[in-house]
Amino acid sequence: MQDQRLIVGVYHLSKSFGKYFALKDINLQVANGEFVFLVGPSGAGKSTLLRLIYMDDFPTSGQVVVGSFVSTTMKRNTIPLLRRKVGIIFQDFRLLEDRTVFENIALAMKVTGVGIGEIKRQVTDILTRVGLYHKRYDFPPTLSGGEQQRVAIARAVANRPAVLLADEPTGNLDPVVTRNILELLFKINAGGTAVLMATHDLDLVRSFGQRIIYLENGQIVRDREMIYVGDLREKIAESKVSRKAERLREHDITGEQER
Amino acid sequence: MNLKQIRYIIDESMLMLKRRRGANIISIIIMGLSLLILVIFLLVTINIAGVISQASEELRVYVYLDDGVPKGISRDIQFRLLGMKGVEEVIYISRQEALSSFSQTLGEDSDILEALEKNPLPDAYRVKVKSDYIKGEFFEGVAQQVEEWEGVEEVRYGRRWFERGEKLVKGFYLTDLFLGLIIFLSGVFVISNTVRLTILHRQRAIDVMKLVGATNAYIQVPFVIEGALQGIVASLLATGLLAVLYVFTSRYIAGISFLRIEAILVFVTFCALLGALGSYTAMRRFLKI
């Protein structure tokens, strides 16, 4: 029986490409509603770990559990169903350039087969929340990097996923926009969606007081305690996060690091 | 898969065709031109084959009878000829008929025939052979057999034609088949490869679709439809260009024929299937199924 409070469970996971081990005996759990940073230098295995979680690839040994999907027993043709429960964003946004902002987000919902009315309502709602409703008929190449990432986030959360995976989502963005995106992710997290964000930028995330998992050479070198939803709600109530976000908003681009 | 999803898949296909018009047009032109070579080849083959079969259709075996052969024996010969395998029709040509048709052939020079005291031509049977039997060995066999019969003076047929022509025709068909196969395969290759390149170009979009949880069918169907449509439009383009070429050349060469409508339909259907199949197999690789 799985722990119902967990959304992602990774157990004794290893992944090798030939003789080279990208990941070695990884164990980590993410609780429902938790916000976790996955930090490590380039090549540490962050992207590989995320890919194994959204099952774009499968482990050499060990197991990945996402909600009710178990990597060792699931059928390949159920992967699309998993993807609808997991939102994913990337450094390079991965939007369809020949579709409007609206169509990009609607696509994620269309594949699940929901009605067009529901799609219109939901997409309108999300676009308003990410502040891009006025750009709904624009094509991604005409948008700024930050705007494109917000569209990607909107698409990722369109199906109300239980967890959002973010692979270096701010890698291409300047500091101000980076903070905007982080704020948006916090906001989504506050709505109950767990977020697992990979980044190489420790300084960026150190100040937020979230759980940070350090990954180096394919191994977890440090992991702070898992925070269950109850604790997290408390934390939000303490509004450490929101205060942080508030302060960030006022912060100008000095590039100063907060401690 | 529910009805809504089917509707979305159709929308998806339409959207894809609309937004990617430029790339589609280029693919279609590439395919159309390579198919044009194929249809030109087909048309030339059909016309040459038509000429050959018409020529060989006109081949007849002439059975000349002995002078003054009794009616009974003559009738007997006719029945025996009719009873032979591969014989379609046996027509009696009396010496008078033969002479008048000969004089017709001579035209203005026919007066030289008046110098003749009597008609030198024999009575004859003209034997038409079923088209399946038009072969040198068959004619040869008939000739040898019939020449033995009582009342038959001589059997003639286009021996010359068979000695040279048959080899020529055989050679032509062999070369034609060989060339045709090469052109056909290169056409197949160009179409499936063009479709494959389209998909390679769209790999990013396919990845995105997979990322948001689209099923394989959802991703695949629009591409298969696109491939089929490319095949159809390209084959129609090739047929259209061929028609233009045909109209142009028929001014200079009389009596050439165009592809029959059934042939065009088969060709278009074939290209549609080829496009769809090329798209489908290429997708299978990307979708890892």
Side-chain angles (χ1 to χ4, degrees):
Chain A
M1 194 64 203
Q2 283 160 227
D3 189 338
Q4 292 297 317
R5 293 173 301 180
L6 289 183
I7 179 64
V8 177
V10 173
Y11 307 96
H12 300 293
L13 175 141
S14 293
K15 177 71 186 174
S16 64
F17 298 103
K19 280 182 182 170
Y20 167 72
F21 269 83
L23 293 168
K24 271 172 281 182
D25 197 33
I26 301 282
N27 285 285
L28 85 87
Q29 288 85 43
V30 178
N32 267 311
E34 198 182 12
F35 198 116
V36 181
F37 286 114
L38 185 61
V39 178
S42 298
K46 305 184 296 292
S47 295
T48 307
L49 181 55
L50 290 185
R51 281 183 59 216
L52 290 169
I53 293 173
Y54 66 84
M55 302 194 191
D56 188 34
D57 204 346
F58 285 86
T60 309
S61 64
Q63 196 177 44
V64 178
V65 180
V66 179
S68 58
F69 298 91
V70 182
S71 69
T72 43
T73 58
M74 71 185 288
K75 284 189 187 142
R76 295 257 166 152
N77 62 8
T78 59
I79 292 175
L81 302 177
L82 163 80
R83 301 280 167 81
R84 297 169 195 180
K85 297 261 182 277
V86 179
I88 311 160
I89 58 171
F90 298 92
Q91 183 171 357
D92 58 354
F93 323 126
R94 302 205 186 168
L95 300 169
L96 295 177
E97 298 187 344
D98 59 351
R99 315 266 174 125
T100 63
V101 165
F102 189 96
E103 287 165 348
N104 263 285
I105 302 167
L107 176 69
M109 297 185 73
K110 279 185 171 182
V111 300
T112 68
V114 291
I116 200 81
E118 166 71 9
I119 291 176
K120 276 185 184 148
R121 230 174 298 127
Q122 171 77 344
V123 176
T124 304
D125 181 50
I126 301 174
L127 274 176
T128 313
R129 277 197 279 149
V130 301
L132 284 174
Y133 185 66
H134 61 294
K135 301 244 173 164
R136 62 193 178 284
Y137 298 128
D138 290 6
F139 288 88
T142 66
L143 303 179
S144 72
E147 287 170 332
Q148 290 193 48
Q149 191 59 291
R150 278 191 281 165
V151 175
I153 292 172
R155 182 183 66 191
V157 300
N159 290 321
R160 300 183 181 88
V163 59
L164 177 65
L165 305 176
D167 191 359
E168 295 274 9
T170 60
N172 275 345
L173 308 172
D174 67 52
V176 173
V177 177
T178 293
R179 280 162 198 171
N180 287 336
I181 294 297
L182 274 174
E183 264 176 55
L184 184 57
L185 292 179
F186 287 139
K187 216 160 93 180
I188 286 161
N189 179 241
T193 305
V195 177
L196 178 56
M197 170 173 154
T199 178
H200 66 276
D201 192 351
L202 178 59
D203 291 334
L204 174 73
V205 301
R206 190 139 56 184
S207 53
F208 296 108
Q210 309 289 7
R211 176 182 170 200
I212 300 176
I213 296 171
Y214 296 90
L215 202 62
E216 254 179 56
N217 295 322
Q219 283 174 308
I220 291 179
V221 292
R222 215 179 102 199
D223 181 5
R224 241 164 62 184
E225 276 291 286
M226 176 162 44
I227 309 161
Y228 284 120
V229 167
D231 311 328
L232 192 74
R233 291 263 177 272
E234 231 168 77
K235 267 189 130 33
I236 292 165
E238 280 173 22
S239 79
K240 194 171 175 185
V241 174
S242 28
R243 256 191 291 121
K244 210 61 129 184
E246 202 63 40
R247 274 164 58 202
L248 273 175
R249 207 168 289 134
E250 293 156 10
H251 211 75
D252 60 5
I253 340 169
T254 53
E256 228 180 81
Q257 296 302 332
E258 295 209 4
R259 299 280 145 160
Chain B
M1 184 159 306
N2 60 29
L3 273 176
K4 279 188 203 112
Q5 265 166 313
I6 292 170
R7 200 192 118 189
Y8 292 149
I9 288 175
I10 295 168
D11 287 352
E12 195 72 35
S13 316
M14 295 302 118
L15 194 72
M16 211 158 89
L17 290 172
K18 211 170 83 184
R19 294 276 161 81
R20 296 179 11 83
R21 217 177 296 144
N24 269 322
I25 287 171
I26 291 167
S27 301
I28 286 167
I29 290 173
I30 294 170
M31 290 185 197
L33 290 180
S34 83
L35 289 172
L36 180 63
I37 298 172
L38 180 64
V39 286
I40 288 176
F41 178 81
L42 279 177
L43 192 68
V44 169
T45 302
I46 285 171
N47 276 292
I48 294 178
V51 169
I52 290 170
S53 83
Q54 214 177 2
S56 54
E57 284 274 304
E58 279 164 13
L59 289 173
R60 296 287 186 277
V61 179
Y62 287 90
V63 178
Y64 297 105
L65 306 182
D66 284 336
D67 223 8
V69 73
K71 257 214 165 116
I73 293 177
S74 166
R75 180 82 38 90
D76 205 37
I77 290 170
Q78 182 172 20
F79 283 131
R80 285 174 75 182
L81 283 170
L82 270 172
M84 285 178 88
K85 192 178 70 167
V87 169
E88 190 173 327
E89 145 189 292
V90 178
I91 288 170
Y92 178 70
I93 299 166
S94 69
R95 50 203 305 177
Q96 289 82 10
E97 279 176 79
L99 186 64
S100 69
S101 91
F102 185 41
S103 88
Q104 250 174 26
T105 322
L106 288 174
E108 282 183 356
D109 299 328
S110 63
D111 26 348
I112 59 160
L113 292 178
E114 282 162 21
L116 295 168
E117 280 172 22
K118 67 182 198 67
N119 183 356
L121 299 172
D123 290 328
Y125 283 112
R126 191 172 67 198
V127 180
K128 188 180 174 190
V129 171
K130 285 177 185 158
S131 52
D132 296 346
Y133 288 88
I134 299 178
K135 280 185 198 109
E137 309 94 75
F138 178 74
F139 277 62
E140 183 65 43
V142 169
Q144 277 176 2
Q145 204 181 334
V146 176
E147 260 174 354
E148 305 289 306
W149 295 354
E150 194 196 340
V152 174
E153 190 192 309
E154 196 186 0
V155 178
R156 282 198 178 172
Y157 64 96
R159 194 186 301 250
R160 275 259 174 94
W161 159 260
F162 284 112
E163 277 168 2
R164 294 220 202 108
E166 209 172 40
K167 259 186 205 158
L168 213 68
V169 168
K170 228 180 225 167
F172 164 73
Y173 275 120
L174 261 170
T175 319
D176 190 77
L177 196 72
F178 182 67
L179 270 179
L181 206 69
I182 290 173
I183 294 174
F184 172 78
L185 286 179
S186 72
V188 169
F189 182 75
V190 168
I191 289 191
S192 55
N193 225 43
T194 310
V195 169
R196 181 163 296 186
L197 282 176
T198 311
I199 288 168
L200 205 70
H201 181 69
R202 300 272 294 158
Q203 200 179 358
R204 218 180 131 82
I206 293 169
D207 285 343
V208 169
M209 303 274 265
K210 271 158 69 179
L211 211 62
V212 298
T215 54
N216 283 337
Y218 195 99
I219 303 171
Q220 221 166 5
V221 171
F223 280 97
V224 172
I225 291 176
E226 187 187 49
L229 284 177
Q230 281 181 347
I232 290 172
V233 178
S235 57
L236 290 176
L237 177 74
T239 315
L241 289 173
L242 183 73
V244 172
L245 278 175
Y246 169 75
V247 168
F248 188 73
T249 39
S250 61
R251 280 195 207 148
Y252 299 98
I253 309 168
I256 56 171
S257 56
F258 195 64
L259 299 176
R260 290 210 319 240
I261 187 82
E262 297 93 329
I264 293 171
L265 282 177
V266 168
F267 174 63
V268 172
T269 314
F270 173 77
C271 291
L273 286 176
L274 201 63
L277 198 74
S279 186
Y280 179 76
T281 48
M283 291 296 289
R284 279 180 72 88
R285 275 230 313 253
F286 287 120
L287 295 173
K288 291 184 212 153
I289 40 174

